[in-house]
Amino acid sequence: QSALTQPASVSGSPGQSITISCTGTSSDVGGYNYVSWYQQHPGKAPKLVIYDVSNRPSGVSPRFSGSKSGNTASLTISGLQAEDEADYSCSSYTSSATVVFGGGTKLTVL
Amino acid sequence: EVQLVESGGALVQPGGSLRLSCAASGFSFRGYAMSWVRQPPGKGLEWVSTISGSGGTTFYSHSVKGRFTISRDTSKNTLSLQMNSLRADDTALYYCAKGDGYNLWRPIDYWGQGTLVTVSS
């Protein structure tokens, strides 16, 4: 099972919006609405920010949103803040009854 | 408050074995799928294994299937990962993680702080 494809890095200035893509196949991202996104600050455990493609857990800022088109899921962060600087990883359920993660994207707030 | 505390990480030689444990508290343990996710130093997250809420169904990544065994003890609220035939590419921080539901496809809503496994001679 190959990892989902994410850009290695993205950047944006405070107040701007950024989007991180997560590309898979029809056997994972495209086949199920079970895509999640995790935020991870250095030295910390991951934190769930989006689940089931576009749902936000309680307590997560509404600045975080998710979507999917075909085999590509996307995480959008609007109104960028310094605290958003972190690594972001997507994951998906697969047709093989496994879970696959993306390689992770480092977000830099300029 | 949900708490997941891993233990058992160590330095082990290639071909060796290790057993990781995770003590869970703050939720109804038998009601949720539990997983192990690992992260090699400086790299991304990799799903390793998941066990259903009842413990009756287990799932493994291709890279560990046949070498690792996940289990849970609902009487002790403990999750375990028995790792055999360890290889250098198993070196990683291993996270214990709780699903937000009973099944494999539910997202992980809580993570432990991880336990480090290093495979090296």
Side-chain angles (χ1 to χ4, degrees), chain B residues 27-96:
Chain B
F27 64 101
S28 179
F29 185 65
R30 69 177 63 222
Y32 297 91
M34 296 292 296
S35 299
W36 291 97
V37 177
R38 67 186 181 185
Q39 186 167 34
K43 295 189 177 181
L45 300 168
E46 180 187 2
W47 174 76
V48 173
S49 181
T50 297
I51 187 166
S52 64
S54 68
T57 309
T58 56
F59 306 89
Y60 298 94
S61 70
H62 300 311
S63 60
V64 308
K65 195 167 188 177
R67 300 188 299 124
F68 290 11
T69 302
I70 191 171
S71 61
R72 64 193 297 163
D73 184 338
T74 53
S75 68
K76 297 180 180 178
N77 284 5
T78 300
L79 177 72
S80 297
L81 185 69
Q82 177 65 42
M83 303 187 296
N84 299 330
S85 302
L86 283 162
R87 311 184 303 222
D89 62 359
D90 294 318
T91 294
L93 186 65
Y94 283 73
Y95 288 105
C96 169

Side-chain angles (χ1 to χ4, degrees), chain A residues 36 38 40 45-46 52 97 99, chain B residues 39 47 95 104 106-108 111-112:
Chain A
S36 299
Y38 299 91
Q40 187 177 24
D52 294 351
V99 172
Chain B
Q39 186 167 34
W47 174 76
Y95 288 105
L104 168 65
R106 298 314 306 148
I108 292 170
W111 302 68

Side-chain angles (χ1 to χ4, degrees), chain A:
Chain A
Q1 182 68 51
S2 299
L4 304 175
T5 300
Q6 297 182 232
S9 63
V10 298
S11 63
S13 299
Q16 287 186 332
S17 295
I18 62 94
T19 297
I20 299 172
S21 61
C22 170
T23 302
T25 70
S26 59
S27 296
D28 39 63
V29 174
Y32 306 91
N33 289 324
Y34 295 136
V35 176
S36 299
W37 289 91
Y38 299 91
Q39 175 193 62
Q40 187 177 24
H41 288 106
K44 300 295 187 181
K47 171 189 173 185
L48 180 67
V49 293
I50 293 289
Y51 68 97
D52 294 351
V53 175
S54 60
N55 293 304
R56 234 180 3 260
S58 174
V60 171
S61 171
R63 298 185 298 103
F64 290 82
S65 62
S67 63
K68 190 182 83 168
S69 177
N71 296 336
T72 298
S74 298
L75 172 71
T76 298
I77 308 174
S78 59
L80 266 182
Q81 299 179 1
E83 67 210 46
D84 299 331
E85 185 162 293
D87 292 329
Y88 292 84
S89 298
C90 60
S91 75
S92 175
Y93 176 73
T94 84
S95 61
S96 302
T98 62
V99 172
V100 61
F101 279 90
T105 298
K106 179 177 179 58
L107 168 62
T108 300
V109 180
L110 302 170

